[in-house]
Each structure stands twice: as structure tokens, then as C-alpha cells.
Amino acid sequence: MADGFSWWKYPVIRPASGQGMSNRVRTYRREDHPDSYVVSRMTAFQDPYDLRVLDEVEVLDLLRGVDFTPDVLAVTPHSPLSRTLIVTYLGRLSDEPPPRHLTRETVRDFALRNLSAVAGTDWSAPGLRSAYRAALEHQRANIEAMCEQVPGSSVIPLELNGHPPTMEAAAAAQVIRSARYAERRYGVDGLRSFGLLPADRIAQEWDRFYTPPDRGAEPSRLVHRDARLDNLTLRSARTLDPTDPPERLVGLIDWELAGFMTPRSGLLHELAVMDRHFRSPVELERLLAASPEHANALRREIAQSAYNDVLRGHETVDGKRRLPASAVTATTELFRVAFGLDRWDLRPHARQRETERMAAELSGRRAAYADWPKSHGSQVAPYPARPLAVRAPARRPAHAPAGPGRSAETVTVIDAVLHT
């Protein structure tokens, strides 16, 4: 893309309506605010590759009143795995070109500042204490349920390698589970052809991507676990507040993967999520050498993405491929650097050849295992999806969203609007 924005990824949700890979979305502009939207999002299916330990409604209830997070207006359940969630966004997801001053650094800084504001929440405050304790118990129960084999089901349980079922241990165990999913799909030779390690080998590498929780500390940092550009809302180009920073980022959405970690390990995890999206192979190699403490969290995030992406690379939702081969190539090259498998040839023609080879591999190995379920419409999950063991209330009374005058130290809210 021109103007140095080759790192920019267009969000999958359009301003008026759209369809993500796991949601059906309708967006409506609020008449009383020039850049705030009501979003109706219906869950289409549960992605088995993601580690979900809390219900998103429960998380947003904990964050109620935080300016840069969505407000929940209503929840309508359709089945244990499907529902419609109506929320309000400040700012919007848009496929318009990025603002000229939007850079990787400003995106990273905005996300970190806001995530740090959430991390500083006093969970002992009245009105939060009981909800926080309930969320911790729900998280523990859900992780424990994921460690158990379901009778009559082919769901692969989490393997915690003797560690207690903390979020830190579960995040590392999810890497092994995703590797077993991918190996079941493509076979050992298939994983090797993608430049990935077989499942047993990655399980032996546990200590290289496990970040233990802080000794003696309580899980108190609520981590987003998916803080990337696609999950940030921007001020519309048609509105401008003179007090806005030039990047116009205003909101952080999609808290479906959120969970509680201890403060230090949680911060390392948040940094790793963003560095996985914003680092080239050369930058990654330097970062791993310069920061051993950060390296384990970064390897875990990269490995998780790599195994998930080779699975998503062959799947479709309503006829639309979930992930192009070029994206799979980008992820697997980071994996090779992170685990020291080889040095990557960064010449453009070499990368193009690798992407073409990857596309052929993804297509050619579809029949590697005869018992692999075939996809039907949006049902691409290779194993049965499971609802969370403990769910938040299915419905709560709708409440009026706060007006545009809400403010927080970490976000600029429109007070005066100039139409351009």
C-alpha cells in the first residue's frame, strides 16, 4: 500500500453492515452523536482454535463506564453457542484509508495506554469486588473444563504439563492443543512442509513459550489478548475534534478472548500480542535476542498464530476463504525465526514463491485424514464447539448509553465537532 502503510490491514466490518468470520454485523449511527454507533453482532460459530475463558458480556460488565470499551445494551440468546449482542461503539471500524499520521507506533501506544488503564482498575472497589471474584471463579472453572476429555467427543483437551490451571498455563497449553489440531489435519509431514514443529516436539518446547505467573500475586490484570488494529475503532474522517490526536483512535473492542493474568505476566502477554502483529522477521530476531524475558511470551503468541493460521488457511465461511496463503506465509516465517529453525530469505520473489507453494500445500493436503469433518456453510470447526462452563446472565436490562461528554485520561472524547 502507498505512503508506507503496507502494514495496514483493512478491518472486516464495514461501516453500514458486514460479516466477520465469526459474526454477522449490522451497524447503525446514533442520531445524538456524530461518531458513535450501535452495533448488532450475531455470533455465527465458535472458533475452536481460540482460548475463551470468560463470557464477553461478563467482561464488558466489569468494564462498564470505561470510555474506550463498548457498552452492552441487550443480549438475545439463540442457542448455547449463538446469540445477538447489541453494543455501542465510540468511533467505528472502517475500510477507509488510514489517517496519514497513523503508524505502528501510535497504534501500539494507544492500545498500551488504554490496556494499562484497565490494568490499574481497583477490583476491591464497591460494585466491582463481587463481580471480579465471580469472574475469577468462572475463569478457573472454564480452564478446568477444557482440561477434561468430553465423553463421546473428539475435542482435544488442554494439557497443562503439571502446572495449575492459571490463564498463563492455559495460554501455553493452547499452543500444544492447536498443534495437535493441525497435526490431525495435515499430518506430521504436512506440518514440516509448512516449517512448523510436530505436536510432540512443540510440547517438549513448553519451557520456551510458557511465562509463569508472578509468584504470590493474584490474577488482577484483565488482558484483552487480541489488541490489534482490526479491533480498534477510529474517528470518522468526516468528523474532526481539534483536541484529537492525529491518529484518531478512540476505542478498543472485541473482548471475547479476555482473561485475568498476574500483573507482570499479563503485561508481557499484551506486549507479545502487539509485537506479533507489528514485527518483521528481522525485527523479531533482534527483539528475541535483546529481551529474553519477553521472548517466551512472544514465542507463545507466534506459535499459537502459526498453527491456527495453517488451519484457517484451508477453511471457508459462506464461500469466503478465512485466510489467504500470503498471511499463512507471513506467520510461519515468524515461527521459524522464533524457534531458530532457519533464516528467512526476505527477497520479494523468494517470498512470492513460498506463498505459491504454501497455497498448493494447503489445497493439496485437504484429504490427508479421511475422518476430518467436511465444512458446511459457516460450520468450519473441526471439533464440536463447547459453550463456556459458566456463562454470564443471558440477558440484563438495557441501560441508556452515556452521552458524548464521558471522559477518561486515556482517550479523547468529542466535545466540539467540525465537519470537513
Side-chain angles (χ1 to χ4, degrees), residues 392-409:
R395 183 189 295 273
R396 61 186 174 89
H399 62 279
R406 291 190 310 164
S407 62
E409 293 181 358

Side-chain angles (χ1 to χ4, degrees), residues 19 27 33 78 127 129 161 235-236 259 336 340 360 365 395 408:
Q19 175 182 321
T27 307
H33 194 291
H78 305 298
R129 186 185 303 110
N161 285 21
R235 182 83 73 238
S236 169
R336 297 179 192 183
R365 290 185 178 270
R395 183 189 295 273

Side-chain angles (χ1 to χ4, degrees), residues 260-276:
F260 284 98
M261 291 184 172
T262 51
R264 172 186 156 276
S265 62
L267 175 59
L268 290 174
H269 183 92
E270 300 279 32
L271 292 170
V273 169
M274 283 179 280
D275 284 336
R276 172 261 177 274

Side-chain angles (χ1 to χ4, degrees), residues 30-70:
R30 283 175 53 193
E31 295 180 358
D32 62 336
H33 194 291
D35 221 355
S36 184
Y37 298 81
V38 174
V39 178
S40 174
R41 192 175 89 223
M42 190 183 92
T43 304
F45 69 91
Q46 293 291 329
D47 197 322
Y49 315 130
D50 291 330
L51 179 64
R52 298 168 189 259
V53 296
L54 291 175
D55 187 280
E56 186 178 17
V57 174
E58 183 173 30
V59 173
L60 294 179
D61 275 342
L62 288 169
L63 296 173
R64 188 183 301 185
V66 177
D67 293 86
F68 50 83
T69 63

Side-chain angles (χ1 to χ4, degrees), residues 97-110:
R100 181 167 296 278
H101 297 288
L102 182 62
T103 66
R104 289 183 294 182
E105 289 71 26
T106 55
V107 170
R108 195 173 186 274
D109 180 64
F110 173 83

Side-chain angles (χ1 to χ4, degrees), residues 158-173:
L158 287 176
E159 305 167 21
L160 297 182
N161 285 21
H163 293 277
T166 61
M167 187 66 184
E168 288 85 350

